[in-house]
Amino acid sequence: MLQNSPNIAAFEAHVLAIEADLDGVVDTGTDDDLFIASYLQGHVAVVAKPMEVQPDANLIKLDQAIMRSLEEAFDNNELDVVDQEKVIALWQSLLSKRQLNK
């Protein structure tokens, strides 16, 4: 069995913490909060999973990949502008929390 490098383990810990924060919205958020968190959670799941095997994965690369994924979705008019802003604000909040807890 392959051992995870410290970088991969740290990255996975950050992803798990982000996912836990998103899951926590179920307990504390409004219906709108739940919608925004669920939408973002889908992007995090799709983007972060393949990154977990990359030894150079980090929060900066995750942020870039998530923002790219969101921009593509927004370009396809998946959400209205107000919801787009809420998704981005939530993502930035989650990312800031992880960067403070390095």
Side-chain angles (χ1 to χ4, degrees), residues 36-62:
I36 297 301
S38 296
Y39 182 85
L40 181 56
Q41 192 168 36
H43 284 269
V44 170
V46 169
V47 171
K49 193 65 176 169
M51 291 181 73
E52 290 177 357
V53 297
Q54 298 173 4
D56 62 341
N58 58 47
L59 287 176
I60 293 169
K61 290 182 179 185
L62 179 62

Side-chain angles (χ1 to χ4, degrees), residues 4-52:
N4 284 345
S5 75
N7 289 346
I8 292 175
F11 179 76
E12 288 175 346
H14 285 303
V15 170
L16 287 173
I18 289 168
E19 290 172 341
D21 286 345
L22 289 168
D23 288 341
V25 174
V26 172
D27 298 327
T28 61
T30 65
D31 287 345
D32 190 49
D33 295 338
L34 183 56
F35 171 75
I36 297 301
S38 296
Y39 182 85
L40 181 56
Q41 192 168 36
H43 284 269
V44 170
V46 169
V47 171
K49 193 65 176 169
M51 291 181 73
E52 290 177 357

